[in-house]
Amino acid sequence: MSKRGGSRRGPKLLMGDSVYLRWMEKSDLSHVRRWSEDPGLRVAIGQVAALSDLECEEWFRGVETDENRAWYAVVTVDGDRVIGEAGLLRIFEPWRTTDMTVIIAEEDARGKGYGREVGRILLDFAFNYMGLHRVAVGVVGFHDEGLKYWEGLGFRREGVLRDGYFLDGVFHDFVMLSILESEWQAGLKERPVD
């Protein structure tokens, strides 16, 4: 599935029960900018600094034109509230692989199951719609909640980038995880984590 003329990758809308994913819009940049100012969120996702208005606009241009990315705003079904962002990046069709991210940025929306639903929507899209074979993610090693989230979706640890993340003068590991199409289809997502 390739894009021509700057059209985006992926369907405009991916529907879930309590959340849906829709293409990011320029009006969402106010959220992205505000989220980038949250130091706790930045640490959890490995973002170095808050984004300026110009950096947000440059990032959005990339979202609109990058043929190797499918990027969405996460919106609640009840109330149409934008609570985060999620997507596939570094999509490489010859190898049938991609990286994935899910960020529930609004603090009061965390812990309500939205992230798990978003993860399942994106994995279904990656494997059943796009026909990909492997989805990977990198997680800051000390972010135990993030590691538990990805493993709960069925991702398996496959390696560590030793001292791959530098924060406040200290190096930290970066944990790499992945899930394969066969694991997703076999229902690994429903099995408890060891």
Side-chain angles (χ1 to χ4, degrees), residues 87-111:
L88 306 177
L89 60 157
R90 292 183 282 280
I91 299 167
F92 192 61
E93 288 181 275
W95 292 354
R96 294 179 53 207
T97 187
T98 189
D99 292 346
M100 181 171 145
T101 191
V102 174
I103 301 169
I104 303 301
E106 295 293 344
E107 190 171 351
D108 65 342
R110 296 178 199 151

Side-chain angles (χ1 to χ4, degrees), residues 5-16:
S7 64
R8 296 189 194 185
R9 179 181 282 265
K12 291 181 181 181
L13 184 71
L14 296 170
M15 199 70 200

Side-chain angles (χ1 to χ4, degrees), residues 139-154:
V139 180
V140 177
F142 59 76
H143 186 30
D144 294 332
E145 186 176 309
L147 291 166
K148 182 179 177 185
Y149 165 78
W150 292 106
E151 289 173 331
L153 283 173

Side-chain angles (χ1 to χ4, degrees), residues 36 39 42-43 45-51 165-168:
S36 81
R42 280 199 318 268
V43 166
I45 64 173
Q47 185 176 334
V48 177
L51 300 173
Y165 180 61
F166 189 68
L167 174 68
D168 295 332

Side-chain angles (χ1 to χ4, degrees), residues 1-4 6-10 61-72 86-101 125 130 132:
M1 175 173 66
S2 73
K3 308 184 332 175
R4 298 289 179 248
S7 64
R8 296 189 194 185
R9 179 181 282 265
R61 277 193 294 279
V63 165
E64 289 186 304
T65 60
D66 186 349
E67 293 186 12
N68 300 310
R69 178 174 15 190
W71 212 259
Y72 296 91
L88 306 177
L89 60 157
R90 292 183 282 280
I91 299 167
F92 192 61
E93 288 181 275
W95 292 354
R96 294 179 53 207
T97 187
T98 189
D99 292 346
M100 181 171 145
T101 191
F125 169 59
M130 293 189 70
L132 298 177

Side-chain angles (χ1 to χ4, degrees), residues 86-194:
L88 306 177
L89 60 157
R90 292 183 282 280
I91 299 167
F92 192 61
E93 288 181 275
W95 292 354
R96 294 179 53 207
T97 187
T98 189
D99 292 346
M100 181 171 145
T101 191
V102 174
I103 301 169
I104 303 301
E106 295 293 344
E107 190 171 351
D108 65 342
R110 296 178 199 151
K112 299 184 190 291
Y114 296 135
R116 185 167 304 276
E117 185 173 354
V118 171
R120 289 180 174 150
I121 291 168
L122 277 177
L123 288 169
D124 181 67
F125 169 59
F127 294 131
N128 295 326
Y129 179 82
M130 293 189 70
L132 298 177
H133 173 72
R134 179 179 184 277
V135 177
V137 66
V139 180
V140 177
F142 59 76
H143 186 30
D144 294 332
E145 186 176 309
L147 291 166
K148 182 179 177 185
Y149 165 78
W150 292 106
E151 289 173 331
L153 283 173
F155 283 72
R156 295 181 180 180
R157 293 182 192 212
E158 59 182 18
V160 174
L161 300 176
R162 296 178 307 136
D163 286 353
Y165 180 61
F166 189 68
L167 174 68
D168 295 332
V170 179
F171 287 100
H172 302 275
D173 290 344
F174 206 72
V175 180
M176 304 307 296
L177 302 97
S178 70
I179 185 170
L180 303 179
E181 174 187 19
S182 59
E183 294 166 341
W184 175 252
Q185 302 301 354
L188 181 61
K189 66 188 184 315
E190 299 297 335
R191 296 183 196 148
V193 177
D194 296 342

